[in-house]
Amino acid sequence: MKEGDNLDKKSGIVLKILSIFESGLFLKILSVFVTGLWVAGLILGNIYIVLLAIILLIALCTVLYIHRDNLQEIFQKNSSVVVEDERTQLINEKAATMTFGIFVAVIIYAGIILIALRDSYPQLLQAGYTLIIAAVFCFILYFTSRAYYNRKF
């Protein structure tokens, strides 16, 4: 009987360890750690830190892909509590759309100003063109994703 009890204890410990790895807190901490490794590796110029970040990111993506159906349950502390309702989602969508519009407008205006100042500050001309191209890319991405989600829903 003792061997069966030991086996139950060991399997209980293994299940606890697995539940820690599948918890939302662990995944959040791991993602912050991976981001820190990216930043540290890029600042220090150390390829080994960047490679470690890539390996951990692949592991994180694998875990998220395996549990993709349970992500909402993993990241919500109590599934019986309603976190968001339709009103909150609508407010978030409207705020995101306005933020996107203002951000792209500021990028476009900054790019136009930098391009207009090309005679006084020729070294900023490339930055102006880069801002304009980034704004155009944002618009293309926005309209493409909008068309995709219009067809999907």
Side-chain angles (χ1 to χ4, degrees), residues 93-151:
E93 289 171 8
K94 288 187 179 278
T97 303
M98 184 172 35
T99 303
F100 171 76
I102 292 171
F103 183 72
V104 170
V106 168
I107 287 177
I108 290 172
Y109 290 136
I112 290 171
I113 290 170
L114 290 177
I115 291 171
L117 294 172
R118 67 181 170 264
D119 294 333
S120 302
Y121 301 100
Q123 69 273 17
L124 297 178
L125 185 63
Q126 186 68 31
Y129 285 131
T130 303
L131 288 174
I132 297 292
I133 290 170
V136 169
F137 176 72
C138 283
F139 274 127
I140 291 171
L141 184 64
Y142 174 75
F143 288 120
T144 304
S145 62
R146 186 171 170 90
Y148 170 77
Y149 284 114
N150 272 339
R151 272 189 250 125

